[in-house]
């Protein structure tokens, strides 16, 4: 045993990394056409290095008709011209690595774009053809096949839209998401071969990791039974066949030293942990922490459950507060319901942004002190709120698929403000950004926050830099008053978060390292505030 060697530490970087999610379309616009691009990211690499992140996760940058923000991929080996070229992606990966930053790409294995050559060929080849076997084509039910083959609800916006679309030739095809995202048939060996080849393609270009989109949905019960018949196991969520797929992906990753992070939404912690067995995925997003309300007992339970479910499989936890699908943290924490649930998203929810921001600052210190990897979504380090997008500018299919009930996810995808005094807050010089920026966007601009030691950006920079003070030991809770979370990890630092309604005394300490807000006049920790202390 003993201390890990530098080589081991380097190989295990992902166990404790800070990983920054780049939604390329909204990060920085290098060519001024209103859409973010790889040139914009390359120009801002020094900003990311200064922030101190270890890796970047890029949402899909592949060739795509953008019916679902790039999660409708037409060619997994090409970069969309709106973002740049493959050669630029290679340069970006190399330049980031020179700054000590690794790259994670996003693979979408559940479905392809309806413009993908496989699907076009399947349409052309007609019913009963081998080309259609790569997808889920079925005849309809009813006298003339006019009813969809089963009763599955859309993964977007519940039961309002079907997951089947009928073609003029009479066949129906399955799409758990939009009609422009036909589901692949993972029981077909060509589908498995193709995806392993795609993994190799990107590992060979120097990426260090792969995020797996909708990772628990790929396998389908070939009988496609109605959900109303209560089939066991579930016909498309978390099926056992999937583990065989990921074991063989793991063998590919191991050849390159690559790592996986799975998008696995599963309430059952035991089933979730099965994806993280030593020969499967390295990590998965912690959606139970993300969805957890800002409430001391619930948060402590979410943390304990997370650590307990990961321990038996030896996988590190991840700590996630938001991403490109989720209501932004400062907004969520400023609402009456501080948890997250797609089903309850609505227009016009009252929000106290000052309160939400105070809590989000405390949550930043909490998550960066916990053992494991932390994901940070672009703009979170600026404290950006969720934007209300005028309905005539909404692009997200979730809004349309819910027939306008769900505001959709554009509100967390608004182009970043870089410079307060520049056109479009410095996102790009010429064209209007693809989503409108709210009028107060310049007040969140990077250049302003860089000059302000009390800014969210300053807090994130300081916390990421100071994070090693916690050491790499397991979490140990410390005695604390009601409503207060306090813990250490063997490195001499203590994290204290006050979620109680009253200020509390700090435990004995030699030095205050960092605070999410000021102490009160009596030196106590105010509500919704966190500190890092030297014990
Ligand atoms: C994942 C992505 C989301 C996308 C969906 C379909 O949930 O995070 O943005 O719409 O998969 O690919």
């Amino acid at each position: 045993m003993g201390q890990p060697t530098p080589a081991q530490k380097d190989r295990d970087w992902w166990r404790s990394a800070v990983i920054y999610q780049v939604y390329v379309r909204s990060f920085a616009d290098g060519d001024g056409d209103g859409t973010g691009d790889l040139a914009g990211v390359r120009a801002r690499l020094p900003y990311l290095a200064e922030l101190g992140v270890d890796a970047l996760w890029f949402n899909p940058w592949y060739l795509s008709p953008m019916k679902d923000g790039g999660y409708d991929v037409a060619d997994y080996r090409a970069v969309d011209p709106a973002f740049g070229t493959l050669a630029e992606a290679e340069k970006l990966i190399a330049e980031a690595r020179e700054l000590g930053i690794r790259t994670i790409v996003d693979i979408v294995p559940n479905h392809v774009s309806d413009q993908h050559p496989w699907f076009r060929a399947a349409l052309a080849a007609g019913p009963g053809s081998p080309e259609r076997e790569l997808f889920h084509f079925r005849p309809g039910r009813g006298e003339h096949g006019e009813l969809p083959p089963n009763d599955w609800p859309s993964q977007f916006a519940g039961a309002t839209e079907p997951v089947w679309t009928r073609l003029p030739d009479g066949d129906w095809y399955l799409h758990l998401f939009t009609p422009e995202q036909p589901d692949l048939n993972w029981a077909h060996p060509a589908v498995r071969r193709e995806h392993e080849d795609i993994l190799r393609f990107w590992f060979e270009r120097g990426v260090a990791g792969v995020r797996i989109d909708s990772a628990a949905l790929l396998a389908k019960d070939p009988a496609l039974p109605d959900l109303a018949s209560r089939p066991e196991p579930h016909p498309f969520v978390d099926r056992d066949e999937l583990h065989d797929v990921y074991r063989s992906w793991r063998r590919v990753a191991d050849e390159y030293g690559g790592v996986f992070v799975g998008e696995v939404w599963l309430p059952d912690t035991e089933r979730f942990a099965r994806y993280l067995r030593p020969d499967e995925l390295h990590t998965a997003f912690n959606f139970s922490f993300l969805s957890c309300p800002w409430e001391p007992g619930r948060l402590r339970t979410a943390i304990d459950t997370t650590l307990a479910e990961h321990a038996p499989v030896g996988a590190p936890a991840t700590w996630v507060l938001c991403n490109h699908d989720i209501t932004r943290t400062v907004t969520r924490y400023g609402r009456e319901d501080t948890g997250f649930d797609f089903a309850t998203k609505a227009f016009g929810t009252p929000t106290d942004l000052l309160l939400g921001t105070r809590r989000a600052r405390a949550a930043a210190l909490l998550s960066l002190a916990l053992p494991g990897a932390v994901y940070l979504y672009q703009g979170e380090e600026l404290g950006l709120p969720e934007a209300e997008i005028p309905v005539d500018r909404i692009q997200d299919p979730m809004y349309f698929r819910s027939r306008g009930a769900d505001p959709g996810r554009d509100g967390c995808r608004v182009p970043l403000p870089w410079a307060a005094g520049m056109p479009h807050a410095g996102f790009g010089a010429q064209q209007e950004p693809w989503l409108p920026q709210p009028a107060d966007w310049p007040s969140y601009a990077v250049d302003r926050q860089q000059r302000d030691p009390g800014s969210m950006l300053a807090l994130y920079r300081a916390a990421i830099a100071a994070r090693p003070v916690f050491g790499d030991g397991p979490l140990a809770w410390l005695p604390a008053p009601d409503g207060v979370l306090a813990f250490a990890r063997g490195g001499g630092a203590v994290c204290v978060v006050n979620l109680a309604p009253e200020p509390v005394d700090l435990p004995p300490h030699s030095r205050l390292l960092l605070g999410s807000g000021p102490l009160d006049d009596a030196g106590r920790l105010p509500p919704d505030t966190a500190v890092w202390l030297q014990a």
Side-chain angles (χ1 to χ4, degrees), residues 21 23 57 59 68-72 106 108 110-111 156 177 181 211 213-214 217 263 265 323-325 342 396-398 409 413:
Q21 179 189 351
Y23 195 78
W57 150 34
N59 289 98
D68 181 21
Y71 284 92
D72 48 322
D106 201 331
V108 189
N110 180 67
H111 43 267
F156 280 161
F177 296 90
Q181 293 166 295
R211 180 236 186 214
D213 185 64
S214 303
L217 301 180
E263 188 202 19
W265 289 87
N323 67 31
H324 66 293
D325 295 327
F342 283 108
D396 183 24
M398 260 195 174
R409 302 163 295 179
R413 300 174 176 179

Side-chain angles (χ1 to χ4, degrees), residues 256-426:
Y256 299 91
V259 301
F260 292 121
V261 54
E263 188 202 19
V264 181
W265 289 87
L266 285 182
D268 180 330
T269 56
E270 190 274 326
R271 296 291 305 183
F272 174 86
R274 290 160 60 100
Y275 290 83
L276 302 177
R277 289 177 290 196
D279 58 347
E280 297 191 38
L281 309 184
H282 303 73
T283 54
F285 294 117
N286 186 350
F287 292 115
S288 46
F289 184 67
L290 175 154
S291 315
C292 183
W294 184 249
E295 199 265 297
R298 304 265 309 257
L299 271 175
R300 183 167 168 156
T301 305
I303 293 167
D304 282 338
T305 312
T306 297
L307 297 173
E309 75 194 353
H310 285 76
V313 285
T318 66
W319 307 101
V320 190
L321 292 172
C322 66
N323 67 31
H324 66 293
D325 295 327
I326 309 295
T327 310
R328 285 224 180 246
T329 320
V330 301
T331 301
R332 213 170 65 230
Y333 284 159
R335 293 180 166 174
E336 196 187 325
D337 175 3
T338 50
F340 179 77
D341 186 349
F342 283 108
T344 56
K345 284 186 74 183
F347 283 98
T349 311
T351 305
D352 177 346
L353 273 187
L354 279 179
L355 177 65
T357 303
R358 198 158 68 232
R359 290 173 171 169
R361 292 174 64 92
L365 291 195
L366 168 63
S367 43
L368 284 163
L370 291 167
V374 174
Y375 279 83
L376 184 57
Y377 173 48
Q378 71 179 37
E380 197 175 357
E381 83 281 20
L382 304 176
L384 290 185
E386 184 84 0
E388 287 259 347
I389 308 293
V391 290
D392 61 335
R393 297 287 303 271
I394 293 182
Q395 304 214 11
D396 183 24
M398 260 195 174
Y399 168 74
F400 298 100
R401 300 275 293 163
S402 71
R403 305 197 184 147
D406 182 326
R409 302 163 295 179
D410 291 337
C412 66
R413 300 174 176 179
V414 176
L416 292 193
W418 290 95
M422 301 283 284
H424 316 308

Side-chain angles (χ1 to χ4, degrees), residues 104-325:
I104 297 175
V105 292
D106 201 331
I107 294 292
V108 189
N110 180 67
H111 43 267
V112 296
S113 159
D114 63 350
Q115 299 306 309
H116 188 282
W118 279 9
F119 193 70
R120 294 169 67 124
L123 290 189
S129 60
E131 286 83 350
R132 289 203 175 180
E133 284 166 17
L134 297 171
F135 299 89
H136 300 281
F137 282 90
R138 291 287 189 286
R141 295 197 284 200
E143 205 182 327
H144 307 288
E146 72 282 9
L147 298 173
N150 70 19
D151 68 353
W152 296 0
S154 173
Q155 289 302 287
F156 280 161
T160 52
E161 298 287 332
V163 294
W164 293 96
T165 291
R166 193 176 195 192
L167 296 167
D169 61 32
D171 253 8
W172 295 74
Y173 69 90
L174 175 74
H175 49 85
L176 290 183
F177 296 90
T178 71
E180 294 87 4
Q181 293 166 295
D183 280 47
L184 287 168
N185 173 12
W186 273 86
H188 199 298
V191 171
R192 291 186 57 160
R193 264 198 316 272
E194 168 69 355
H195 275 271
E196 289 183 15
D197 199 60
I198 294 166
L199 292 176
R200 287 180 196 284
F201 180 89
W202 287 103
F203 283 136
E204 266 157 27
R205 273 156 189 80
V207 311
V210 170
R211 180 236 186 214
I212 307 170
D213 185 64
S214 303
L217 301 180
L218 280 45
K220 314 285 177 333
D221 180 338
L224 304 175
D226 275 338
L227 283 178
S229 68
R230 305 202 164 276
E232 280 290 341
H234 195 284
F236 65 87
V237 179
D238 183 33
R239 293 181 60 82
D240 284 342
E241 306 91 283
L242 268 175
H243 296 285
D244 185 46
V245 170
Y246 293 135
R247 274 192 285 268
S248 97
W249 283 30
R250 177 61 179 255
R251 289 191 289 273
V252 175
D254 283 347
E255 288 173 36
Y256 299 91
V259 301
F260 292 121
V261 54
E263 188 202 19
V264 181
W265 289 87
L266 285 182
D268 180 330
T269 56
E270 190 274 326
R271 296 291 305 183
F272 174 86
R274 290 160 60 100
Y275 290 83
L276 302 177
R277 289 177 290 196
D279 58 347
E280 297 191 38
L281 309 184
H282 303 73
T283 54
F285 294 117
N286 186 350
F287 292 115
S288 46
F289 184 67
L290 175 154
S291 315
C292 183
W294 184 249
E295 199 265 297
R298 304 265 309 257
L299 271 175
R300 183 167 168 156
T301 305
I303 293 167
D304 282 338
T305 312
T306 297
L307 297 173
E309 75 194 353
H310 285 76
V313 285
T318 66
W319 307 101
V320 190
L321 292 172
C322 66
N323 67 31
H324 66 293
D325 295 327

